[in-house]
Amino acid sequence: MSLSRRKHRRVGLLAAAALAATTVSAVAVNAAGAEEHPSQDPAEIAQAKVDNPYAGAQVYVNPVWSEKAAAEPGGEAIADQPTGVWLDRIGAIEGNDSPTTGSMGLKDHLDEAVSQGADVIQIVIYNLPGRDCAALASNGELPADAIDRYKGEYIDPIVDIMDDPAYAGLRIVNVIEIDSLPNLITNVAPRETATDNCNTMKANGNYQDGISYALAELGALPNTYNYIDAGHHGWIGWGDTNPQYDNFHASAELFGSLIGMNGATASDVHGFITNTANYSVLEEPYWEVDQVVGGQPINQNPDVKWVDWNDFNGELDFAQAFREELVSNGFNSNIGMLIDTSRNGWGGADRPTGPSSSSDPATFVDESRIDRRYQKGNWCNQAGAGLGERPQAAPESGIDAYVWIKPPGESDGSSEYIPNPEGKGFDEMCDPDYQGNIRNGNNPSGARGDMPISGHWSSEQFQELLQNAYPPVN
Ligand code: BGC
């Protein structure tokens, strides 16, 4: 960190303490009422942060998304919901009029948040070198070895903008690097699911280097709240029932290994987020994962492919259990979880209304489950999905908020290859005719057709999400 930045931070901290009404001040006030110099002690900075930044907070509404949502039939009903602001490339920091971010850069969003009177803004940090190593639809602009560019041209400028005293009264939630670290457990050799790109990222260590750098630099600001992406239960929910594929404990351990790298401390991590841009349900209302059907617990029955030995049935149990596991890997005992509920509602006419009466375990599960994907590894533009729970603070124990980080209506990837200047590839998992690969158990992709490249708008998808919302949108 440069000297000038240190100095700048000090000013930022003072202003933060003065402006952030709901924040416990880390600044000592002497008898005459004058503020003494604030400490740069990370422990004090961490203490200045509130436990749950969402509690009682008004959360920023991104006008770029809101305008698109409001223009859709019926969209007005949800256009005032807060959604994530994705900094999905270096150019998005300044705002370069891209189809995903519009013309607003980070500073524009922060200014707008101040003028909305918002308490919280949700920024997605998403530009790792070798991004999205197990898939192609969201590959980014930085090649696998571009770690210096990530730090110097992406993270540093973001930190400088967020450090402006004008934003000291905002709690800035940073959602850090979707779909990255768990890939280094599940999609690397010797697993059959390995990809060359994930093997490369495991070997070069640039995911850990980049994420720990981001945590340390962003976490040093007094008003930032870092939540690291932790995949979802259909990705790393395997552990106890099938220790042969232990993604659960191994992923938590990998996250724990970030502590100490690049100066990142446990206090630079406010929590974790699950299900970002995914479709996994919060809970299956009509069956338990270890329920005995046909004489055997469902999660130990090889015929029940939907469960396939997973320990969990939904995001809520998973997030709560993973929280505990993260704490036992060195994170602070008061970390909180976020769950992205933007597209995990699975309502509409095809939603089951009760448990199946079948005594055949596989049929029972398939007829009872509300998540109607072919398989939990399916992630691209799932046909039939609906909006999930509306964003809300502290819905359950250990959960800081349900959030909409993936803005509903924005594509996960194109249905066929579309040349583009964003580094986005074409992933067959987004082709509705694709019959799958080992990472989704060779099932159909379940994707919608005619979709644009990731991040671009689809009226059809937006309308289906609205129609199949659960709870329904009135
Ligand atoms: C895309 C990003 C986009 C984000 C939000 C990702 O899949 O790669 O470009 O900003 O989704 O829609």
Side-chain angles (χ1 to χ4, degrees), residues 314-329:
E315 289 304 295
L316 186 53
D317 285 355
F318 165 70
Q320 288 171 330
F322 202 52
R323 200 192 84 78
E324 301 283 329
E325 185 66 17
L326 289 158
V327 171
S328 63
N329 278 277

PDB file of all heavy atoms in Angstrom, residues 314-329:
ATOM      1  N   GLY A 314     -31.325 -27.892   0.561  1.00  0.00           N
ATOM      2  CA  GLY A 314     -31.584 -26.500   0.222  1.00  0.00           C
ATOM      3  C   GLY A 314     -30.524 -25.593   0.827  1.00  0.00           C
ATOM      4  O   GLY A 314     -29.657 -26.042   1.583  1.00  0.00           O
ATOM      5  N   GLU A 315     -30.636 -24.314   0.493  1.00  0.00           N
ATOM      6  CA  GLU A 315     -29.601 -23.349   0.865  1.00  0.00           C
ATOM      7  C   GLU A 315     -29.610 -22.949   2.328  1.00  0.00           C
ATOM      8  O   GLU A 315     -28.578 -22.599   2.887  1.00  0.00           O
ATOM      9  CB  GLU A 315     -29.742 -22.096   0.000  1.00  0.00           C
ATOM     10  CG  GLU A 315     -29.338 -22.330  -1.432  1.00  0.00           C
ATOM     11  CD  GLU A 315     -27.921 -22.876  -1.559  1.00  0.00           C
ATOM     12  OE1 GLU A 315     -26.979 -22.151  -1.209  1.00  0.00           O
ATOM     13  OE2 GLU A 315     -27.760 -24.020  -1.986  1.00  0.00           O
ATOM     14  N   LEU A 316     -30.783 -22.960   2.947  1.00  0.00           N
ATOM     15  CA  LEU A 316     -30.834 -22.464   4.316  1.00  0.00           C
ATOM     16  C   LEU A 316     -30.028 -23.359   5.274  1.00  0.00           C
ATOM     17  O   LEU A 316     -29.130 -22.893   5.972  1.00  0.00           O
ATOM     18  CB  LEU A 316     -32.298 -22.344   4.761  1.00  0.00           C
ATOM     19  CG  LEU A 316     -32.526 -21.715   6.124  1.00  0.00           C
ATOM     20  CD1 LEU A 316     -31.838 -20.361   6.239  1.00  0.00           C
ATOM     21  CD2 LEU A 316     -34.021 -21.566   6.383  1.00  0.00           C
ATOM     22  N   ASP A 317     -30.324 -24.656   5.253  1.00  0.00           N
ATOM     23  CA  ASP A 317     -29.576 -25.592   6.113  1.00  0.00           C
ATOM     24  C   ASP A 317     -28.092 -25.567   5.762  1.00  0.00           C
ATOM     25  O   ASP A 317     -27.229 -25.606   6.631  1.00  0.00           O
ATOM     26  CB  ASP A 317     -30.065 -27.033   5.904  1.00  0.00           C
ATOM     27  CG  ASP A 317     -31.404 -27.268   6.560  1.00  0.00           C
ATOM     28  OD1 ASP A 317     -31.890 -26.355   7.252  1.00  0.00           O
ATOM     29  OD2 ASP A 317     -31.959 -28.361   6.358  1.00  0.00           O
ATOM     30  N   PHE A 318     -27.842 -25.534   4.454  1.00  0.00           N
ATOM     31  CA  PHE A 318     -26.450 -25.538   3.995  1.00  0.00           C
ATOM     32  C   PHE A 318     -25.707 -24.299   4.501  1.00  0.00           C
ATOM     33  O   PHE A 318     -24.611 -24.397   5.069  1.00  0.00           O
ATOM     34  CB  PHE A 318     -26.408 -25.607   2.472  1.00  0.00           C
ATOM     35  CG  PHE A 318     -25.062 -25.272   1.890  1.00  0.00           C
ATOM     36  CD1 PHE A 318     -23.992 -26.138   2.057  1.00  0.00           C
ATOM     37  CD2 PHE A 318     -24.859 -24.083   1.203  1.00  0.00           C
ATOM     38  CE1 PHE A 318     -22.738 -25.827   1.537  1.00  0.00           C
ATOM     39  CE2 PHE A 318     -23.619 -23.760   0.688  1.00  0.00           C
ATOM     40  CZ  PHE A 318     -22.554 -24.624   0.859  1.00  0.00           C
ATOM     41  N   ALA A 319     -26.311 -23.125   4.311  1.00  0.00           N
ATOM     42  CA  ALA A 319     -25.628 -21.883   4.694  1.00  0.00           C
ATOM     43  C   ALA A 319     -25.379 -21.855   6.197  1.00  0.00           C
ATOM     44  O   ALA A 319     -24.310 -21.430   6.658  1.00  0.00           O
ATOM     45  CB  ALA A 319     -26.450 -20.670   4.253  1.00  0.00           C
ATOM     46  N   GLN A 320     -26.352 -22.324   6.969  1.00  0.00           N
ATOM     47  CA  GLN A 320     -26.175 -22.319   8.428  1.00  0.00           C
ATOM     48  C   GLN A 320     -25.064 -23.290   8.846  1.00  0.00           C
ATOM     49  O   GLN A 320     -24.215 -22.969   9.672  1.00  0.00           O
ATOM     50  CB  GLN A 320     -27.501 -22.665   9.121  1.00  0.00           C
ATOM     51  CG  GLN A 320     -28.499 -21.498   9.014  1.00  0.00           C
ATOM     52  CD  GLN A 320     -29.902 -21.858   9.478  1.00  0.00           C
ATOM     53  OE1 GLN A 320     -30.315 -23.010   9.366  1.00  0.00           O
ATOM     54  NE2 GLN A 320     -30.640 -20.868   9.968  1.00  0.00           N
ATOM     55  N   ALA A 321     -25.047 -24.472   8.220  1.00  0.00           N
ATOM     56  CA  ALA A 321     -24.013 -25.453   8.576  1.00  0.00           C
ATOM     57  C   ALA A 321     -22.641 -24.998   8.079  1.00  0.00           C
ATOM     58  O   ALA A 321     -21.630 -25.164   8.768  1.00  0.00           O
ATOM     59  CB  ALA A 321     -24.361 -26.817   7.973  1.00  0.00           C
ATOM     60  N   PHE A 322     -22.624 -24.399   6.896  1.00  0.00           N
ATOM     61  CA  PHE A 322     -21.335 -23.958   6.351  1.00  0.00           C
ATOM     62  C   PHE A 322     -20.765 -22.809   7.180  1.00  0.00           C
ATOM     63  O   PHE A 322     -19.558 -22.695   7.363  1.00  0.00           O
ATOM     64  CB  PHE A 322     -21.486 -23.577   4.877  1.00  0.00           C
ATOM     65  CG  PHE A 322     -20.182 -23.637   4.119  1.00  0.00           C
ATOM     66  CD1 PHE A 322     -19.382 -24.774   4.157  1.00  0.00           C
ATOM     67  CD2 PHE A 322     -19.742 -22.557   3.366  1.00  0.00           C
ATOM     68  CE1 PHE A 322     -18.167 -24.829   3.468  1.00  0.00           C
ATOM     69  CE2 PHE A 322     -18.529 -22.604   2.681  1.00  0.00           C
ATOM     70  CZ  PHE A 322     -17.743 -23.741   2.726  1.00  0.00           C
ATOM     71  N   ARG A 323     -21.652 -21.980   7.695  1.00  0.00           N
ATOM     72  CA  ARG A 323     -21.217 -20.894   8.589  1.00  0.00           C
ATOM     73  C   ARG A 323     -20.421 -21.468   9.767  1.00  0.00           C
ATOM     74  O   ARG A 323     -19.328 -21.012  10.076  1.00  0.00           O
ATOM     75  CB  ARG A 323     -22.453 -20.138   9.098  1.00  0.00           C
ATOM     76  CG  ARG A 323     -22.184 -18.747   9.617  1.00  0.00           C
ATOM     77  CD  ARG A 323     -23.390 -18.178  10.362  1.00  0.00           C
ATOM     78  NE  ARG A 323     -23.378 -18.647  11.736  1.00  0.00           N
ATOM     79  CZ  ARG A 323     -22.588 -18.153  12.702  1.00  0.00           C
ATOM     80  NH1 ARG A 323     -21.807 -17.132  12.450  1.00  0.00           N
ATOM     81  NH2 ARG A 323     -22.616 -18.661  13.909  1.00  0.00           N
ATOM     82  N   GLU A 324     -20.982 -22.489  10.383  1.00  0.00           N
ATOM     83  CA  GLU A 324     -20.294 -23.120  11.522  1.00  0.00           C
ATOM     84  C   GLU A 324     -18.935 -23.677  11.103  1.00  0.00           C
ATOM     85  O   GLU A 324     -17.943 -23.536  11.803  1.00  0.00           O
ATOM     86  CB  GLU A 324     -21.122 -24.303  12.075  1.00  0.00           C
ATOM     87  CG  GLU A 324     -22.510 -23.930  12.541  1.00  0.00           C
ATOM     88  CD  GLU A 324     -22.494 -23.234  13.893  1.00  0.00           C
ATOM     89  OE1 GLU A 324     -21.609 -23.539  14.688  1.00  0.00           O
ATOM     90  OE2 GLU A 324     -23.363 -22.356  14.118  1.00  0.00           O
ATOM     91  N   GLU A 325     -18.933 -24.320   9.952  1.00  0.00           N
ATOM     92  CA  GLU A 325     -17.700 -24.944   9.467  1.00  0.00           C
ATOM     93  C   GLU A 325     -16.628 -23.879   9.187  1.00  0.00           C
ATOM     94  O   GLU A 325     -15.442 -24.079   9.436  1.00  0.00           O
ATOM     95  CB  GLU A 325     -18.025 -25.755   8.206  1.00  0.00           C
ATOM     96  CG  GLU A 325     -16.884 -26.559   7.652  1.00  0.00           C
ATOM     97  CD  GLU A 325     -16.413 -27.685   8.569  1.00  0.00           C
ATOM     98  OE1 GLU A 325     -17.148 -28.065   9.499  1.00  0.00           O
ATOM     99  OE2 GLU A 325     -15.280 -28.161   8.351  1.00  0.00           O
ATOM    100  N   LEU A 326     -17.065 -22.733   8.674  1.00  0.00           N
ATOM    101  CA  LEU A 326     -16.125 -21.644   8.395  1.00  0.00           C
ATOM    102  C   LEU A 326     -15.549 -21.090   9.691  1.00  0.00           C
ATOM    103  O   LEU A 326     -14.357 -20.785   9.778  1.00  0.00           O
ATOM    104  CB  LEU A 326     -16.830 -20.538   7.597  1.00  0.00           C
ATOM    105  CG  LEU A 326     -17.141 -20.951   6.147  1.00  0.00           C
ATOM    106  CD1 LEU A 326     -18.269 -20.101   5.561  1.00  0.00           C
ATOM    107  CD2 LEU A 326     -15.896 -20.859   5.275  1.00  0.00           C
ATOM    108  N   VAL A 327     -16.419 -20.983  10.704  1.00  0.00           N
ATOM    109  CA  VAL A 327     -15.935 -20.503  12.002  1.00  0.00           C
ATOM    110  C   VAL A 327     -14.872 -21.467  12.538  1.00  0.00           C
ATOM    111  O   VAL A 327     -13.833 -21.047  13.036  1.00  0.00           O
ATOM    112  CB  VAL A 327     -17.109 -20.332  12.996  1.00  0.00           C
ATOM    113  CG1 VAL A 327     -16.592 -20.051  14.405  1.00  0.00           C
ATOM    114  CG2 VAL A 327     -18.045 -19.203  12.536  1.00  0.00           C
ATOM    115  N   SER A 328     -15.110 -22.752  12.344  1.00  0.00           N
ATOM    116  CA  SER A 328     -14.100 -23.688  12.858  1.00  0.00           C
ATOM    117  C   SER A 328     -12.842 -23.691  11.993  1.00  0.00           C
ATOM    118  O   SER A 328     -11.842 -24.304  12.349  1.00  0.00           O
ATOM    119  CB  SER A 328     -14.668 -25.092  13.082  1.00  0.00           C
ATOM    120  OG  SER A 328     -15.088 -25.629  11.881  1.00  0.00           O
ATOM    121  N   ASN A 329     -12.880 -22.994  10.877  1.00  0.00           N
ATOM    122  CA  ASN A 329     -11.666 -22.837  10.062  1.00  0.00           C
ATOM    123  C   ASN A 329     -11.047 -21.447  10.206  1.00  0.00           C
ATOM    124  O   ASN A 329     -10.324 -20.987   9.315  1.00  0.00           O
ATOM    125  CB  ASN A 329     -11.965 -23.144   8.601  1.00  0.00           C
ATOM    126  CG  ASN A 329     -11.929 -24.647   8.329  1.00  0.00           C
ATOM    127  OD1 ASN A 329     -10.867 -25.217   8.111  1.00  0.00           O
ATOM    128  ND2 ASN A 329     -13.085 -25.275   8.399  1.00  0.00           N
TER     129      ASN A 329
END
